[in-house]
């Protein structure tokens, strides 16, 4: 059976990778929205803290990456 939570965790955890690769290749950061990046980073951090608070190791470790 497919674990939807694991797929969601993988996608959200590694969603920045394509942007990072593009920035490394082009050395162009002008098109990155700082507000979007900050909101995403803070959201992921808060999900990690939530996982810690409810003692859900999968939620914690998926967002710790």
């Amino acid at each position: 059976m497919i674990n939807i939570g694991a797929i969601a965790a993988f996608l959200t955890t590694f969603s920045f990778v394509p942007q990072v690769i593009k920035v490394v290749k082009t050395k162009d950061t002008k098109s990155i929205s700082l507000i979007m990046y900050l909101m995403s980073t803070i959201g992921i951090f808060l999900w990690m803290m939530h996982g810690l608070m409810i003692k859900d190791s999968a939620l914690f470790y998926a967002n710790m990456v």
Side-chain angles (χ1 to χ4, degrees), residues 7-42:
I7 294 169
F10 177 84
L11 291 174
T12 56
T13 300
F14 294 103
S15 64
F16 290 116
V17 172
Q19 185 68 56
V20 170
I21 292 170
K22 183 177 180 183
V23 167
V24 169
K25 285 182 177 179
T26 65
K27 308 281 192 250
D28 178 25
T29 59
K30 292 176 188 168
S31 62
I32 297 175
S33 168
L34 180 60
I35 294 171
M36 182 280 306
Y37 186 78
L38 287 173
M39 289 173 68
S40 294
T41 302
I42 291 167

Side-chain angles (χ1 to χ4, degrees), residues 43-53 59-60 63-64:
I44 290 168
F45 175 77
L46 292 174
W47 274 117
M48 182 189 76
M49 295 306 296
H50 178 66
L52 181 65
M53 292 170 61
L59 184 60
F60 175 79
N63 289 287
M64 188 176 79

